[in-house]
Amino acid sequence: MKNRPLWLNLVLLVVLAVMPLLLSSYGLKLGSEVLIMAIFVMSLGLIIGFAGLVSLGHAAFFGAGAYTVTLIGDHLNNTYVLLLAAILVSGILAFISGLLFIRSSGAYFLMITLAFGQMLYAIAYKMEDITGGVDGKPVLATFDLGFGAIDSRLTFYYVTAVAFAASYFLLRVFISSPLGKSVRGIKENESRMTALGYNTRNYKLVVYTLSGMMAGFAGGLYSYFNEYISPDLLNWMFSGQALIMVIVGGVGTLLGPAIGAGFFVILQNYISSYTERWPIIMGLIFVAIVLYGRGGIIHIVSLIWNLLFRRKNRDQNMQHKEGTGIDSSKSGTSV
Amino acid sequence: MTLLKVEHLSKSFKALNVLKDVSLEVREGERHVVIGPNGAGKTTLFNCITGTLPINQGTVTVNNTQISGLPAYTAVGVGMSRTFQKNNLFGSLTVEENLHLAINACKPYRFNFFKPINKFTDVLEETEHLLKEWNLWDRRDRVVNELSYGEQRLLEVLLALASKPKILLLDEPTSGMSPAETIQTTKLIQSMPRSITLLVIEHDMEVVFSIADRITVLHHGEVFLSGAPEEIKGDERVKEIYFGGGTLKHA
Ligand SMILES: Nc1ncnc2c1ncn2[C@@H]1O[C@H](COP(=O)(O)OP(=O)(O)O)[C@@H](O)[C@H]1O
Ligand SMILES: [Mg+2]
């Protein structure tokens, strides 16, 4: 906590900024997709890793954001309003569903969020007149921040990069704030938090709502990115994939889930051109990481980093998980 | 003045009646110790007083506010906090972080989400003050799981103290401690200001008689006897039930 690695944040910003120099036009598009997915998966990582709420219905909020931009966008082409509406609608959905579900925990929470997501999926699927049903719907709204429509891939890349950076720093501040620390405490030991005077349900509800809003923001961006949406965005398969990205990337960290998102989006992009068996491959990687990777990709990266640069006091560093955004509580000092 | 009043409290787990019509009064500033054999219902009594467990019958009043039936988190709001018989800490957080959470619970800014918690100077000051007073300051950066058992036991009390309670419920604060740690802890309890009322469950008779103003004996979920330490010490029936015919260590 004390020598909080500003360098990590700086490196992140620099990487985001110089990426376009290295990427082809197609690479820029992929980069935007990675960053949008990273925002979404990061929002799921927040409730799983910091609040202990394992959801299998988080796509509901992503999809809600995407549908909000698309459906309202048919009538009103204002990017600020549409993105705000996406955040608001998904936030309200998260708040209401959280109010109902948050008292259940563990497997029950998983099942009930799954059911909620499937319910929204069914609605989008059935209400053909409005949503286009199973065929989905093209996105008519154009991305325009007031300086003319943004249609170059480079500019849109920078838009998503800024969106990602903003989301990341918001969460970074959040997890060290009184509210964020309290949520972490609830995950760690809810009964003690209650004894200390915390109304734990309120705290969980707040973080769940915040997470839903961020997922909705990502969904809204995705509408602009993909220019086409379908009910699949609400489906539990998508929620499950995001869950796998969180776990493979690294539970209990902020950047881990983002890295997990990048890893899978890029991998899928190259592998799906060779094989149709993408879900199986994703599953196998998942199993391998769970069995051998312990803290996920970010954990492996941090191990290598520590071996290379911080041999002296790596044990110390491993403890300061919040500082580095790297959680190694489970395997702690056993390098 | 009576600070804590328990009236006709009953609690059962399914068919098992663990507490039967328990009434108890703790006066302001008092050091009130609850003794009784294992399984007498002492911990359950604490759970019922604080709202950790729902009660079947009776009322609990703190400082003229009735809190029975209210959720457990409200206890701190009326000035009551408790410790646990079995350490109940944030094991993978540091000592300092544990205290930050305990102190933050009662702050108006506990829902703040845009400023780091360690930028709130009052949290830092209170943390430092408590840790120094309880000789844990040099342990502040340690992860709680790495502390010795005795240190964890102290932290257990410290977390409950952080909310500046009017009444503090300690469930066997010295259990499992070495003799030296027990002496140290007893001293710390004795040195607590009288502005903090204490209700303590304790097994070690030496500790009991060195802190108690008043003792309540719980037996099979009923208040068997309540009185001054001398009365309890001299009571033959208490020796009989509590020590199975043995003698009081300290008597
Ligand atoms: N949550 C519970 N569910 C069922 N029985 C319990 C529970 N808690 C305590 N008991 C029972 O209540 C009785 C009193 O337990 P307890 O209050 O822990 O006693 P003490 O603290 O005096 O040793 C014991 O018989 C115990 O088994
Ligand atoms: Mg007990």
Side-chain angles (χ1 to χ4, degrees):
Chain A
M1 225 182 309
K2 255 166 238 130
N3 42 13
R4 186 188 189 114
L6 268 176
W7 59 264
L8 183 79
N9 296 338
L10 285 175
V11 166
L12 190 73
L13 285 179
V14 170
V15 168
L16 285 174
V18 303
M19 253 343 221
L21 301 178
L22 311 169
L23 292 175
S24 64
S25 170
Y26 178 73
L28 280 175
K29 183 161 188 274
L30 192 61
S32 296
E33 186 176 358
V34 164
L35 289 169
I36 292 170
M37 277 304 287
I39 297 173
F40 173 46
V41 177
M42 219 160 48
S43 77
L44 180 60
L46 176 71
I47 55 169
I48 295 178
F50 292 87
L53 296 165
V54 185
S55 162
L56 198 44
H58 214 55
F61 307 124
F62 184 91
Y67 271 94
T68 302
V69 165
T70 307
L71 297 181
I72 302 180
D74 282 352
H75 313 286
L76 181 126
N77 191 6
N78 181 319
T79 305
Y80 293 106
V81 171
L82 289 178
L83 284 179
L84 269 179
I87 293 171
L88 210 65
V89 167
S90 48
I92 290 170
L93 277 174
F95 180 80
I96 293 171
S97 62
L99 212 54
L100 299 170
F101 306 156
I102 230 124
R103 62 176 67 215
S104 53
S105 57
Y108 294 102
F109 186 75
L110 194 97
M111 296 310 286
I112 203 153
T113 50
L114 169 70
F116 176 72
Q118 287 308 93
M119 189 187 80
L120 289 195
Y121 171 75
I123 291 172
Y125 194 96
K126 291 279 187 225
M127 290 177 64
E128 266 177 55
D129 298 345
I130 303 170
T131 63
V134 65
D135 293 332
K137 209 172 167 355
V139 179
L140 301 182
T142 48
F143 200 88
D144 183 346
L145 293 173
F147 321 104
I150 290 175
D151 40 20
S152 101
R153 283 180 173 176
L154 179 67
T155 322
F156 194 73
Y157 168 86
Y158 277 116
V159 167
T160 54
V162 169
F164 172 78
S167 306
Y168 170 72
F169 287 115
L170 186 87
L171 292 185
R172 180 127 307 296
V173 173
F174 176 84
I175 59 168
S176 61
S177 70
L179 179 58
K181 290 284 183 187
S182 305
V183 166
R184 184 72 206 285
I186 292 167
K187 185 199 172 207
E188 175 93 19
N189 185 346
E190 184 160 2
S191 101
R192 186 63 193 230
M193 286 298 274
T194 303
L196 288 175
Y198 287 93
N199 180 357
T200 57
R201 209 183 293 162
N202 284 352
Y203 290 78
K204 288 198 258 186
L205 186 57
V206 171
V207 71
Y208 189 65
T209 305
L210 182 80
S211 165
M213 290 164 84
M214 194 167 274
F217 175 56
L221 285 174
Y222 185 81
S223 279
Y224 285 111
F225 166 80
N226 204 44
E227 295 174 334
Y228 185 83
I229 61 163
S230 78
D232 287 345
L233 297 182
L234 295 156
N235 197 298
W236 74 272
M237 292 270 286
F238 188 39
S239 296
Q241 284 179 7
L243 183 59
I244 289 177
M245 291 176 193
V246 169
I247 294 169
V248 168
V251 177
T253 68
L254 278 188
L255 272 186
I259 291 173
F263 177 72
F264 276 114
V265 170
I266 293 167
L267 199 67
Q268 175 171 28
N269 196 270
Y270 288 109
I271 289 185
S272 356
S273 24
Y274 303 111
T275 169
E276 293 297 303
R277 300 201 165 74
W278 167 244
I280 297 175
I281 293 170
M282 193 171 180
L284 288 177
I285 293 170
F286 174 59
V287 170
I289 289 280
V290 168
L291 288 181
Y292 305 109
R294 299 224 266 190
I297 296 174
I298 195 161
H299 180 65
I300 297 168
V301 171
S302 81
L303 284 186
I304 295 167
W305 176 270
N306 285 335
L307 280 174
L308 291 180
F309 301 106
R310 298 191 168 182
R311 221 166 285 177
K312 267 186 307 194
N313 50 357
R314 65 187 162 204
D315 288 5
Q316 284 284 311
N317 287 323
M318 300 301 285
Q319 298 304 340
H320 287 283
K321 50 204 174 229
E322 244 106 2
T324 52
I326 289 164
D327 184 4
S328 28
S329 56
K330 271 164 242 127
S331 37
T333 55
S334 62
V335 176
Chain B
M1 197 199 102
T2 303
L3 190 60
L4 168 68
K5 197 176 205 171
V6 177
E7 289 170 297
H8 307 296
L9 191 150
S10 296
K11 171 71 188 172
S12 55
F13 296 107
K14 305 231 168 74
L16 182 68
N17 294 320
V18 176
L19 295 174
K20 300 160 209 160
D21 197 34
V22 172
S23 293
L24 185 81
E25 281 196 20
V26 182
R27 297 166 62 79
E28 205 171 342
E30 196 170 69
R31 274 82 182 93
H32 196 127
V33 180
V34 178
I35 63 173
N38 266 328
K42 305 182 296 296
T43 297
T44 305
L45 177 64
F46 270 24
N47 287 336
C48 291
I49 291 175
T50 53
T52 309
L53 288 174
I55 61 178
N56 298 100
Q57 251 157 42
T59 57
V60 177
T61 312
V62 177
N63 215 1
N64 298 321
T65 311
Q66 191 181 318
I67 60 162
S68 36
L70 298 180
Y73 71 86
T74 54
V76 170
V78 296
M80 179 164 70
S81 68
R82 55 118 17 128
T83 70
F84 293 84
Q85 182 174 352
K86 202 169 158 282
N87 285 342
N88 196 5
L89 306 164
F90 305 98
S92 67
L93 306 186
T94 65
V95 171
E96 215 166 31
E97 288 173 316
N98 269 258
L99 272 158
H100 289 173
L101 283 176
I103 293 165
N104 177 57
C106 308
K107 297 293 183 188
Y109 49 73
R110 59 189 181 275
F111 278 103
N112 180 308
F113 60 88
F114 46 82
K115 183 173 164 187
I117 196 167
N118 51 15
K119 291 269 153 61
F120 291 89
T121 45
D122 52 343
V123 171
L124 300 184
E125 282 164 15
E126 286 171 40
T127 301
E128 181 173 349
H129 177 76
L130 282 168
L131 286 178
K132 283 190 170 155
E133 196 172 36
W134 285 67
N135 307 324
L136 286 171
W137 179 240
D138 59 337
R139 291 280 187 273
R140 62 188 179 277
D141 286 332
R142 300 290 289 275
V143 172
V144 166
N145 284 335
E146 294 173 357
L147 296 182
S148 76
Y149 176 81
E151 288 168 336
Q152 292 188 21
R153 207 76 198 111
L154 278 185
L155 186 60
E156 180 69 36
V157 179
L158 214 43
L159 290 191
L161 262 181
S163 64
K164 303 192 176 119
K166 284 204 259 305
I167 178 164
L168 180 59
L169 278 59
L170 303 174
D171 195 345
E172 302 198 21
T174 68
S175 73
M177 281 187 169
S178 70
E181 287 166 339
T182 301
I183 290 170
Q184 190 209 0
T185 308
T186 309
K187 280 197 184 124
L188 284 166
I189 293 173
Q190 282 172 325
S191 68
M192 283 186 194
R194 286 275 162 173
S195 56
I196 302 176
T197 305
L198 295 179
L199 182 62
V200 186
I201 297 172
E202 184 53 65
H203 263 307
D204 186 325
M205 283 306 140
E206 214 156 325
V207 178
V208 170
F209 287 109
S210 61
I211 58 176
D213 299 335
R214 195 173 177 83
I215 296 174
T216 292
V217 185
L218 207 62
H219 185 46
H220 290 319
E222 288 175 292
V223 174
F224 181 78
L225 192 65
S226 193
E230 306 77 52
E231 293 173 53
I232 306 296
K233 209 183 275 187
D235 195 291
E236 287 303 320
R237 296 165 307 164
V238 172
K239 287 183 195 169
E240 193 63 32
I241 59 157
Y242 191 38
F243 305 98
T247 49
L248 281 177
K249 240 206 286 185
H250 200 62

